[in-house]
Amino acid sequence: MADVNRGNRPLSPFMLGKYYRFQFNSVTSILNRITGNAMIVATLLIVWWFLAAATAPEYFDVVDWVITSWLGDLVMFLSVLGMWYHLLAGIRHLIWENAKGLDMSTSDKMGWIALIGSVVLTLVTVAVI
């Protein structure tokens, strides 16, 4: 049987660009999940560095060169940024779980605090270390 209401059904909200615009809270929530998973890369690099230190001096020199190269420094810098963002966004989620700050304006402010705070805390961390 043919669907006579085919043209009257609502469109999917996920037709990007034309019909759907990402919301700030959606982006910050997705970024929180991405940073949580991306920190695994830094963890693996640090574990690799410790294992190399326990193995042999020649192997440690190779791994240390990789981690202290410009690419390794970039990965570690972004990992620190991701760690700070994930921590601040996690605090934001804890506040939400207590039914606080659920209105849009407060939620947006907390999102901006997490974004800007993570950048500031990353720069402070890099400056101190």
Side-chain angles (χ1 to χ4, degrees):
M1 179 187 252
D3 187 4
V4 295
N5 290 322
R6 176 173 246 168
N8 297 331
R9 284 189 271 169
L11 296 173
S12 171
F14 299 104
M15 298 177 73
L16 296 176
K18 189 171 184 181
Y19 301 106
Y20 184 75
R21 185 175 59 94
F22 272 108
Q23 298 171 358
F24 183 64
N25 288 322
S26 302
V27 173
T28 56
S29 181
I30 292 168
L31 191 58
N32 187 28
R33 294 165 195 258
I34 290 171
T35 56
N37 288 313
M39 284 189 297
I40 295 170
V41 173
T43 303
L44 292 175
L45 284 175
I46 292 168
V47 168
W48 183 38
W49 188 69
F50 281 137
L51 287 175
T55 304
E58 300 82 21
Y59 185 55
F60 176 75
D61 290 339
V62 171
V63 175
D64 191 52
W65 179 82
V66 169
I67 291 181
T68 58
S69 69
W70 68 270
L71 183 60
D73 285 343
L74 179 65
V75 168
M76 289 300 170
F77 178 82
L78 293 175
S79 297
V80 170
L81 178 65
M83 179 196 67
W84 281 120
Y85 179 79
H86 194 73
L87 175 73
L88 294 175
I91 292 170
R92 179 182 178 208
H93 280 271
L94 284 174
I95 293 169
W96 283 346
E97 287 175 7
N98 288 306
K100 307 273 192 243
L102 295 174
D103 59 290
M104 287 302 291
S105 65
T106 306
S107 181
D108 285 346
K109 287 176 190 173
M110 287 193 300
W112 282 111
I113 288 170
L115 280 173
I116 295 168
S118 62
V119 171
V120 169
L121 288 170
T122 299
L123 294 176
V124 168
T125 303
V126 170
V128 170
I129 293 176

